[in-house]
Structures are given as C-alpha cells and as structure tokens.
Amino acid sequence: MLKEKTYGIHDGPVVDTETGSPVNEMNGGYYDDTGAVSGESFAYGDSTTAKIQRFAGRFSIEQRGIERVPESERTDSNLYKIGTMWLAANMVVSSFAIGALAVPIFYLGFVDALLTIFFINILGIFPVCFFSTFGPRFGLRQMVLSRYFYGYYGVKLIAFFNVLACVGWSSVNVIVGAQILNAINSNVPGWAGIIIIAAATFFVTLFGYKVVHAYEFWSWIPCFIVFLIVLGEFVHSGQFSNIPMGVGESEAGAVLSFAASVFGFATGWTSYAADYTVYQPSNSSKTKVFLWTFAGLIFPLCFTEMLGLAVVTASVNNPTVAEGYDTNIGVLLAYVLAPLGRFGQFCLVILALSIIGNNCPNIYSVTFSLQVMSRWTAVIPRFIWTFIGTVIYCAIAIPGYSHFASVLEDFMLLIGYWLAIYEGIALTEHFFFKRGFPGYDISIYRDASRLPPGIAAIVAFCFGIMGAVMGMAQVWFIGPIGRLIGTGYGGDIGFPLAFAFSAISYGGFRTLEKRYFKR
C-alpha cells in the first residue's frame, strides 16, 4: 500500500508504508528522496507564510530553507561554480588583512610566515572540502546535516555559535569595507559605507542560491585584477623587505599564534560547506566536488594572504606604511595605490566592494542556522531571516565602526575555536560511528527520537572548550598551556587542543550513549 507520508511542515515523498522505503529509484542504483520537499509546495495553502512565499516566487526569490532538495530540482550540474563560489568569497581584502598580521602583530620573518600561510591553509580548508561533498549526496544544508552529529536538540547549540559567527564576521568585514571607502573619501562616513555594502549584500542573498552563485562566478575577476595591480605597484616601489626568520622559543610561539589566525579564517567556512552544493545532482563525483572546493579556496587564500604579508614587510623600513597599518588596512592599501591617482582610488572602491562577496556566504547561511533553532523559526521564510540578519549586523557594525571595532574582532577570534570542536565531533561520528556515507539514514533527519540523543556531543563540546581555553593565546586571555610556549604572549595551540579534546572525549561518550540509547 502506498500513501503520502507527512514530515513536519511539508509533505514528503511517496513511500511504502510497510518498509518505509522510498518508491523512487534512479539509474538502477540507490536513490532516496525521503523527506524532500518540492519547490511548488511552499506556495500551497492560505496561511500568511504561503501568501508571502507566493509573492516571493513572483520575483524568482528562492523559497527553500532547511527543507531537503528533491532530486528533480538538483539541476546545478556545473561543478566549477563550486570553485568560483569560494574563489570570490576569499579573493577579498579580509584575506589580505590576515596575511598582513604576520609582521606587525606576530613579528615573523617573510619566509616563515609564507610557509605558515601555505601549509596551514591546506589544513584549514580540508574540512570545508570534505563537508561540501555531503550536499549532493543528501540535499541537506550543513546545519541540518549536523543533526546526525549533535542530535535534533544539540544542534541548536551549534546553530547558535554559527549565528554568532555569521553576524559577527559580517560586522567585522563590513567595517573594513567602510574604512576603505572612508580612506578614499573622508566625506563618506562609516555608517554610509556600511549601509552601502550591506544593502548590496542583502540584494544578492535575497534571491538565494542561484543568484549568490551567479554573483560569485564573476565578482572575483575585478578583485583579482586589482590585487595584481597592488602587487605590481608594490614591486615597482621597491619597498619589499625580506625580513629574516626568527629562532628559538619566541619564534615558535609567534608561528603558532599566526597559524591559529590563518587556520581560523580558512576553516571558518566549514559550518556552511554543504549549503552551496545542495542543488548538485546526487550522482555528482565526490572527488570532483572536493577538488573544485579545494581549488576555489587554496588559490585566493594563499594569493591574498601572501600579498598582504609582502606589502606589510615595508613597514619595517617605512614609518608611513607602519602608520597606515596602525590606522586600518584601507589606509595601507591607499598608500600602495596612491601613485595611480584617481585610478588607484577606483581600485580601492573595487576592494571595498569585495566585502560583498565575502559576506554573501555569511548572510545566506545564517538563515539556515536560525531556522533549525525551533519549529516557529523554521516556518519563517529564508529571505525574511536574510533581512533580519542584515539589520542586526548593521546595528552592530555602525556603532562598532567608531567605538569597538578592535574589541569586536578580538571577540570573534576568541569564539572561533568552536569550529575545531565542531570538526572534531563531526569527523569522529562520520568515520568511527557512521563508518562513512552508508551509515546515514536520510529518512530520520526530522525525527528527534531516531537521531542521536546529542548528549555525548554536548559533553564533548564542553571538553573541547576546555582544550581551547587551555591552549589559546589571545588578547583577552592566555591559557596555561599556551603560556608555556614561546615568550611573553605565549603560543596559540587552542585549535589543535580543542579538536583533540572534543574528538577523543566524544569517542568515549558516544560509545556509551549508543549502548544505552541504541541510536
């Protein structure tokens, strides 16, 4: 006997009621559309939500939120779009600023900082590449997939941290963009620059997945050209300084702390990874998805961070460059491009607007974290949450521009360790308990009684926090282990300790949890 099976807010596919198996099969192989929601269903009914969705549909605004994407709607078969998506999100002035930290903040030499950027970025983007392969396989957003690691209720904690990350980094990034606009023209106040960049970001993310991908497909090109111009102008200036590598304990501590900043920026996309591959067909090659993601991340991260590193070496012998960095990254870039006059100012505008591409993933993905919080937040359409998220980060950034920009950035760096904890628990569950992709029962993604209880994950998360606290070396706090490394400001090993503490403790607690709850 066949009938329609109900799943939460929307109806799911036709299933066999005796076996619970989906009726659909594709290409003679495994194919499960259980719990998938067709795009047409969002506009059904007379409720206020349905009316809003119908109105949005007239303008081709993506109506889908955390609902699973059916195979029939996974039509985005161009894998290179995955690469250009991450290429544009990282070919930005924020990445340049990460590389520029090496000399004035961590007092590193050129070669040691260069090697740190290269190898740590490779390490940081691996989880992003790996979880990107989950999107085509399951058609679920990253936060919904996280229910298989943290449980139906435990994932709400992860979603909360992800909301903080999305909103917080959007605020930090938009302040950087506004500072650049102000460096070009002091008559453009900070609040105006913030609103300009935020409004443009909102317009792109409002329309959803396809428009975000379309924008990112092209937006990296002018940014790349401008960075090449920055490189050419800096080389022509002859101000590069090959700062020698340090030695001893202070060098070790400085390298580890700089590595933490590089790793945190690179791995920060992990909690969004599957969001940008959910419309890929389920038979997409996992290897190709992984490699396109890797290529789209490694090139812009290494290029922009190494460029930022090279430019800031001039601060050693040029007080003007040092003063420019101390003011903000926009003043430093303005100094490099000053010989180009008006054209140099135009280039700075392009770099300021690169923040749009940087913030698009934050503001598009924050909606899914908000929707997994509760049943009532799931009912609110994605595009409304996009607007609310934009208003919130503008409300933080506008006063933050003048009063607490550095404090806000320090806070975001402080909470960034949660990503290592997330990865430690998720990867342990995937490889040791799920034993790969076949271990996921896609039919239970909305069923709290059949998903993992989440107790082990939450306890392990607390152990991960303990590891991060013990190993961190931040402006506000230096942990007891971090203090033992290097001299003065210690060395930051918060990320590896957070990962290790969470992964190891989760392995033990999850074993006990499975024995007791049988799930």
Side-chain angles (χ1 to χ4, degrees):
M1 177 180 176
L2 299 177
K3 72 174 184 178
E4 196 78 1
K5 188 172 182 178
T6 302
Y7 287 85
I9 302 167
H10 300 284
D11 291 334
V14 177
V15 299
D16 185 317
T17 55
E18 293 185 2
T19 65
S21 301
V23 175
N24 315 56
E25 286 190 0
M26 175 176 281
N27 301 328
Y30 177 83
Y31 172 55
D32 187 346
D33 231 4
T34 302
V37 180
S38 67
E40 298 175 354
S41 67
F42 292 103
Y44 290 164
D46 295 322
S47 66
T48 302
T49 300
K51 292 176 181 177
I52 294 173
Q53 292 279 28
R54 279 197 294 273
F55 178 77
R58 296 176 188 172
F59 301 95
S60 298
I61 293 174
E62 183 187 12
Q63 298 159 303
R64 185 179 304 282
I66 58 174
E67 301 83 6
R68 190 180 181 215
V69 184
E71 186 67 30
S72 60
E73 296 181 26
R74 298 194 211 174
T75 57
D76 186 13
S77 58
N78 297 318
L79 293 176
Y80 60 82
K81 287 185 178 179
I82 303 171
T84 55
M85 164 72 205
W86 296 117
L87 179 59
N90 292 279
M91 187 66 72
V92 295
V93 70
S94 300
S95 306
F96 177 92
I98 292 293
L101 294 172
V103 176
I105 302 299
F106 299 107
Y107 304 103
L108 292 175
F110 180 72
V111 174
D112 47 343
L114 195 78
L115 292 173
T116 302
I117 289 171
F118 180 71
F119 288 108
I120 297 301
N121 270 311
I122 291 176
L123 183 64
I125 66 176
F126 255 81
V128 188
C129 301
F130 177 69
F131 286 113
S132 291
T133 66
F134 282 56
R137 174 74 187 219
F138 300 118
L140 290 172
R141 311 288 187 174
Q142 188 68 40
M143 280 298 106
V144 181
L145 284 167
S146 299
R147 290 174 177 172
Y148 288 90
F149 316 132
Y150 290 86
Y152 188 88
Y153 298 106
V155 79
K156 299 178 192 301
L157 173 65
I158 302 307
F160 172 75
F161 274 96
N162 203 39
V163 169
L164 286 181
C166 291
V167 173
W169 281 118
S170 293
S171 303
V172 171
N173 294 338
V174 80
I175 288 173
V176 171
Q179 287 173 340
I180 295 175
L181 292 176
N182 182 259
I184 301 166
N185 185 348
S186 59
N187 292 323
V188 179
W191 63 264
I194 288 169
I195 291 175
I196 290 169
I197 296 171
T201 306
F202 169 71
F203 182 77
V204 174
T205 55
L206 170 67
F207 289 92
Y209 180 96
K210 290 183 179 180
V211 175
V212 169
H213 270 282
Y215 177 81
E216 304 285 47
F217 182 80
W218 298 105
S219 67
W220 68 273
I221 298 174
C223 297
F224 180 51
I225 293 172
V226 171
F227 278 125
L228 287 176
I229 293 170
V230 171
L231 175 61
E233 280 298 307
F234 184 69
V235 170
H236 181 71
S237 72
Q239 296 193 53
F240 170 74
S241 177
N242 188 6
I243 303 171
M245 183 187 302
V247 294
E249 292 184 14
S250 60
E251 169 72 2
V255 167
L256 287 171
S257 295
F258 179 56
S261 298
V262 173
F263 180 86
F265 190 87
T267 207
W269 306 113
T270 301
S271 55
Y272 321 157
D275 296 352
Y276 301 95
T277 56
V278 290
Y279 286 95
Q280 296 283 339
S282 60
N283 60 359
S284 299
S285 167
K286 290 195 290 291
T287 301
K288 290 181 179 178
V289 171
F290 184 99
L291 291 176
W292 273 111
T293 306
F294 182 87
L297 285 164
I298 195 65
F299 172 66
L301 286 171
C302 286
F303 174 71
T304 55
E305 289 175 12
M306 289 177 181
L307 178 59
L309 165 64
V311 170
V312 85
T313 60
S315 64
V316 175
N317 300 313
N318 189 329
T320 305
V321 175
E323 183 180 348
Y325 179 84
D326 290 340
T327 304
N328 62 63
I329 204 70
V331 174
L332 177 63
L333 286 164
Y335 172 80
V336 176
L337 294 171
L340 298 179
R342 292 285 186 180
F343 180 70
Q345 292 181 339
F346 172 76
C347 291
L348 284 173
V349 171
I350 297 296
L351 291 181
L353 296 180
S354 74
I355 298 299
I356 298 170
N358 194 198
N359 272 357
C360 275
N362 293 330
I363 300 307
Y364 179 69
S365 290
V366 71
T367 60
F368 310 125
S369 294
L370 289 165
Q371 285 188 322
V372 301
M373 288 289 192
S374 69
R375 293 185 181 276
W376 73 265
T377 58
V379 175
I380 298 174
R382 177 202 63 82
F383 45 87
I384 292 180
W385 281 124
T386 300
F387 175 74
I388 293 173
T390 300
V391 171
I392 292 174
Y393 86 79
C394 283
I396 296 171
I398 290 174
Y401 180 90
S402 303
H403 298 95
F404 54 88
S406 61
V407 174
L408 178 61
E409 185 168 359
D410 290 340
F411 174 73
M412 294 311 302
L413 291 171
L414 189 66
I415 70 167
Y417 299 100
W418 82 273
L419 289 160
I421 302 172
Y422 174 86
E423 293 163 2
I425 293 171
L427 293 173
T428 302
E429 175 68 26
H430 177 82
F431 287 108
F432 292 99
F433 295 98
K434 293 287 191 292
R435 298 188 182 277
F437 289 101
Y440 293 80
D441 181 357
I442 200 63
S443 67
I444 68 171
Y445 83 92
R446 287 176 173 169
D447 191 343
S449 65
R450 298 174 65 191
L451 286 163
I455 299 172
I458 297 304
V459 174
F461 194 92
C462 294
F463 272 84
I465 292 175
M466 181 171 64
V469 170
M470 293 179 69
M472 69 171 58
Q474 293 289 334
V475 174
W476 291 353
F477 180 78
I478 301 176
I481 296 179
R483 192 179 298 276
L484 298 176
I485 302 170
T487 58
Y489 296 104
D492 196 326
I493 56 171
F495 278 103
L497 286 185
F499 183 93
F501 275 47
S502 59
I504 294 170
S505 62
Y506 181 73
F509 288 122
R510 179 70 173 128
T511 301
L512 297 175
E513 184 181 65
K514 287 197 74 172
R515 286 179 182 173
Y516 184 81
F517 291 98
K518 310 298 181 185
R519 56 187 171 99

